[in-house]
Amino acid sequence: MALGKWLVWLLAWPGWVWAQTDSILQLPMATVREVRFEQTGYTAWRADSLPVAAALSLADRLLWENTLSVRANAPGTLATVSARGAGPSRTPVFWNGLNLQSPMHGVVDAALLPLWPGDRLEVRYGGQSAVQSSGAIGGAVLVEPGMSQTLGWSRQLGAEAGSFGARQLQAGVAYGRSRWSSQLRALGQRADNDFPFKNTAQIGQPQVRQVNNRLERWDVQQFNRLLINDKNVLRTAFWQQRAFREIPPAMTEVAAETWQRDAATRAVATWEHRPAVRALWQTRAAWLDEAIYFRQFSTTDSSRSRTALLSSEYSSRWGEKLTWKTGATALRQWARADGYTDSTRWYNQTRLAAFGMAEKTWSGGRVSLLLRQEWAERQAAPFTWSLGGEWTLGLAGKLRGHVSRNFNLPTFNDRFWRALGQPALRPEKGYSADAGWVLERKNGQLELGGFHLLIDDWILWQPGSDGQFRPGNLRKVWSRGLEVAGHLRGARGRWQWKAGARGQLSATTNLEVYGGLQSVQGKQLSYTPRQSGSLSLLLQRGAFSGGYLHQVTGSRFATTDNLVVLPAFQTGQFFLHQRIVLHRRMKLSLDLRIENIWNTPYRILAYRPMPGRSGRVGVGLSW
């Protein structure tokens, strides 16, 4: 796959010769925004912008600050995220409002989601089924693409090169007027990922290089915004992605031809209508088409899924203290896989949902109530709710908290896999609760909190008497813990700085076991650390900026019986960024990034080595 092929059209497009104006796009006051009071009472982490102009993967960004448990096989390969021990299938990732969870296996590959500078990244912790529907039990990751606010033409072009054959090209072009704007951005990436490591699973622990770990990927995203009139706004987003990734062998395996191809097309259109000053009607339509081709032992298996979504929400404000929202969602999903009972058939399901929300505010705080009822074809979906609140304590800060009922429907693989799927599986369901204290001051913030999460009918694939793995509602899982987070910011002379820290102490254990090995009852879930934390320091002086991120991951059990332990590890990431003004309308940026700066040997998964110290340099041009 040639990295530069898709750039030819961008570079040749006539828009590249237009000059950019310096004015900012100002939309009229009639532009409306979505009501977001469903955040009341939740703990949230919002990512700071890093001193780097290159696009990053969601997996790297979350791993560097350890806001979630990121489980990666190797650089660029499958990486999943888990909030508060709930597991990847219970931690959805949303892009531009779309849930990216696969209807087939319920997991999002965070290594394939790029984050451009300017994109907004937020992690919202706690059960959110009443807001986000099935799967939002441990938390949710929200990515909102940033859109250029500049009038006229704006363009950017960048390149990056680094250790282990890493290369990346990115380009973007945008055009804006007072009533409409459009933006296109593209990314191409290649890497050999042939890093050296010490194979501790072999006799003599020889120094070897990773093999069969090549990566090729490209992404194209396009966004439009049209202000039809003072009461109507239309937004569209389109994302196409192709990826090829070799899957490296574990330390105990012999290298073999194993790879995966991913293809995805995602499109969404949102219409916002404001019939009155205090009312908003938002309607959204979306289409997702995704395919995976997996090759192992000279055999290629394919799977494909499609999702069509239509939702409509109406929000209104009564007076100054009461806001409410109601709406409905219709979802149609299809899936076809070589591993299903009939590999030529499209298995399908229709899901419908109705919900209502209300928030009451007063001088000392606010309280929100959310209710949701879903119907899933040939499955039972429980009634869910959420209650959250915040109360101010004057100079002593504020208290926050929420409780919710949550659920997660079985996936297509759970129900339809050949001879192994169980169509009668029950949804996972349970309750979550959060409580915390927040102290805010002019130069910083401190937050302390605790959480409780109970999930019953946990779906688990485990071997039966014949040795074949089958899914079942086999466990009740209990997660609980304490969290602390804080940040400070200030200035010294011409330097501005911001420092942050966060930490979590938790336990996620099998409270009850309904089938299989009773010896795992009371044991910590595998690959779920009891301790984790991170430190960050960002500096800026004029056009120069730098940063250091440090993350700590405690020891984890690699097996359900807790007999195999992976050691704790710490890594650091270092960034430098310099912006140079070549012309009043043209800027050059230079980047330096050093990952795992302390050259720590570590593994996130058993027998899956991660690279030591590596570096990247990048250059960008915008005008």
Side-chain angles (χ1 to χ4, degrees):
M1 183 187 300
L3 279 181
K5 183 183 297 185
W6 52 267
L7 283 174
V8 173
W9 178 81
L10 286 175
L11 293 172
W13 198 42
W16 286 97
V17 301
W18 286 66
Q20 174 190 351
T21 61
D22 294 328
S23 56
I24 301 299
L25 177 63
Q26 297 289 345
L27 294 179
M29 294 299 293
T31 300
V32 293
R33 298 189 180 276
E34 181 184 1
V35 178
R36 293 183 176 271
F37 55 78
E38 63 265 23
Q39 300 182 12
T40 302
Y42 287 99
T43 301
W45 172 82
R46 296 173 180 86
D48 290 316
S49 60
L50 294 180
V52 58
L56 309 169
S57 76
L58 175 64
D60 286 343
R61 188 66 183 89
L62 293 175
L63 180 64
W64 290 343
E65 292 197 67
N66 213 350
T67 56
L68 295 174
S69 175
V70 179
R71 303 171 186 179
N73 289 289
T77 60
L78 174 66
T80 60
V81 295
S82 172
R84 294 179 170 174
S89 64
R90 304 163 196 91
T91 310
V93 177
F94 293 83
W95 175 83
N96 210 49
L98 296 181
N99 188 345
L100 299 184
Q101 283 181 299
S102 167
M104 305 188 72
H105 48 70
V107 172
V108 178
D109 191 342
L112 292 182
L113 204 165
L115 295 173
W116 269 268
D119 288 357
R120 185 176 69 88
L121 171 61
E122 177 181 339
V123 177
R124 199 180 301 167
Y125 301 93
Q128 300 163 61
S129 294
V131 182
Q132 311 288 11
S133 182
S134 170
I137 294 182
V141 181
L142 292 84
V143 176
E144 291 291 338
M147 190 156 182
S148 174
Q149 298 295 310
T150 304
L151 283 173
W153 290 102
S154 61
R155 297 152 294 267
Q156 61 171 343
L157 183 64
E160 189 178 66
S163 305
F164 319 128
R167 292 91 80 193
Q168 180 169 302
L169 294 174
Q170 64 187 60
V173 59
Y175 184 74
R177 286 298 188 188
S178 59
R179 303 191 71 87
W180 67 274
S181 59
S182 183
Q183 178 173 301
L184 174 69
R185 58 191 190 184
L187 168 72
Q189 184 181 29
R190 295 187 66 178
D192 299 326
N193 287 323
D194 55 346
F195 56 88
F197 68 95
K198 181 181 292 187
N199 192 332
T200 57
Q202 293 185 4
I203 297 176
Q205 300 185 0
Q207 187 84 3
V208 298
R209 278 192 173 272
Q210 186 62 280
V211 295
N212 200 67
N213 201 20
R214 184 167 55 92
L215 160 70
E216 295 182 4
R217 193 188 88 199
W218 63 264
D219 293 84
V220 175
Q221 295 185 358
Q222 202 277 329
F223 308 95
N224 298 291
R225 178 175 52 199
L226 173 63
L227 183 64
I228 301 173
N229 52 43
D230 291 346
K231 294 185 177 182
N232 295 277
V233 178
L234 179 65
R235 306 173 194 272
T236 65
F238 175 81
W239 176 15
Q240 188 159 38
Q241 181 180 75
R242 297 292 184 268
F244 171 81
R245 295 176 293 175
E246 294 178 330
I247 300 176
M251 290 179 173
T252 56
E253 296 175 341
V254 177
E257 183 192 19
T258 307
W259 51 258
Q260 178 174 312
R261 291 188 183 274
D262 296 81
T265 300
R266 306 174 177 105
V268 57
T270 304
W271 171 51
E272 295 178 349
H273 171 63
R274 190 170 197 175
V277 175
R278 295 175 176 267
L280 169 65
W281 200 304
Q282 185 180 77
T283 300
R284 173 175 292 165
W287 173 257
L288 297 88
D289 189 340
E290 302 177 345
I292 296 177
Y293 305 92
F294 179 78
R295 184 170 181 82
Q296 188 178 34
F297 307 128
S298 301
T299 301
T300 302
D301 291 326
S302 65
S303 60
R304 189 170 182 179
S305 65
R306 293 170 174 169
T307 300
L309 176 145
L310 179 64
S311 67
S312 189
E313 304 174 354
Y314 183 81
S315 309
S316 182
R317 181 183 293 273
W318 289 348
E320 298 298 326
K321 297 184 178 181
L322 181 62
T323 306
W324 61 274
K325 178 194 289 187
T326 186
T329 300
L331 192 70
R332 181 71 169 175
Q333 295 177 316
W334 300 264
R336 185 174 68 186
D338 290 341
Y340 287 178
T341 301
D342 183 352
S343 61
T344 64
R345 171 189 166 190
W346 282 96
Y347 292 78
N348 57 75
Q349 183 182 65
T350 298
R351 298 184 185 180
L352 302 174
F355 57 88
M357 313 174 186
E359 180 178 78
K360 175 73 172 180
T361 61
W362 66 94
S363 59
R366 55 180 179 160
V367 174
S368 291
L369 174 65
L370 297 79
L371 306 174
R372 187 184 194 96
Q373 179 61 64
E374 295 204 12
W375 176 81
E377 189 176 359
R378 295 183 294 275
Q379 287 184 280
F383 174 76
T384 55
W385 51 266
S386 176
L387 178 64
E390 296 178 358
W391 301 269
T392 59
L393 304 175
L395 294 178
K398 68 178 179 180
L399 298 177
R400 56 149 188 87
H402 82 89
V403 292
S404 63
R405 191 184 190 209
N406 308 286
F407 77 105
N408 185 33
L409 292 172
T411 66
F412 279 70
N413 287 4
D414 293 333
R415 300 171 61 208
F416 303 127
W417 202 262
R418 182 185 301 122
L420 302 176
Q422 305 293 321
L425 282 171
R426 298 182 299 276
E428 301 170 328
K429 51 189 178 295
Y431 298 88
S432 72
D434 266 72
W437 168 74
V438 182
L439 180 65
E440 295 180 339
R441 292 292 184 263
K442 180 180 179 181
N443 295 325
Q445 176 179 300
L446 175 65
E447 183 170 2
L448 303 175
F451 66 88
H452 156 91
L453 175 62
L454 188 67
I455 308 174
D456 200 3
D457 283 330
W458 183 287
I459 297 174
L460 181 70
W461 286 68
Q462 71 174 23
S465 57
D466 58 358
Q468 293 287 334
F469 280 77
R470 292 180 176 85
N473 297 107
L474 300 179
R475 297 182 185 177
K476 178 185 287 186
V477 175
W478 181 26
S479 177
R480 63 279 191 197
L482 300 173
E483 298 172 327
V484 58
H487 68 260
L488 292 172
R489 57 181 175 271
R492 186 176 181 85
R494 297 175 60 187
W495 288 95
Q496 294 181 333
W497 59 270
K498 182 176 182 180
R502 60 184 303 112
Q504 183 184 96
L505 179 64
S506 65
T508 305
T509 56
N510 295 304
L511 193 63
E512 294 185 35
V513 178
Y514 305 136
L517 296 174
Q518 296 296 315
S519 60
V520 302
Q521 185 165 330
K523 301 294 186 181
Q524 176 83 356
L525 264 61
S526 57
Y527 295 111
T528 304
R530 293 182 183 271
Q531 308 90 20
S532 62
S534 64
L535 299 170
S536 65
L537 177 62
L538 302 175
L539 301 171
Q540 182 174 356
R541 178 176 176 175
F544 171 82
S545 57
Y548 176 75
L549 305 179
H550 190 91
Q551 67 104 349
V552 180
T553 299
S555 59
R556 293 134 293 133
F557 297 109
T559 54
T560 56
D561 56 15
N562 291 182
L563 295 180
V564 179
V565 181
L566 287 178
F569 66 88
Q570 303 182 44
T571 62
Q573 329 297 328
F574 179 71
F575 308 87
L576 291 177
H577 176 76
Q578 178 68 51
R579 189 177 70 254
I580 302 172
V581 179
L582 301 178
H583 185 270
R584 69 183 184 90
R585 295 178 178 176
M586 181 175 292
K587 298 179 178 65
L588 176 71
S589 63
L590 303 174
D591 290 340
L592 170 66
R593 180 163 96 240
I594 303 177
E595 300 178 24
N596 193 4
I597 191 171
W598 310 116
N599 202 31
T600 302
Y602 70 101
R603 302 187 303 277
I604 297 176
L605 301 177
Y607 302 112
R608 297 286 181 179
M610 298 296 286
R613 184 185 300 112
S614 62
R616 295 197 180 195
V617 293
V619 59
L621 187 66
S622 61
W623 69 101

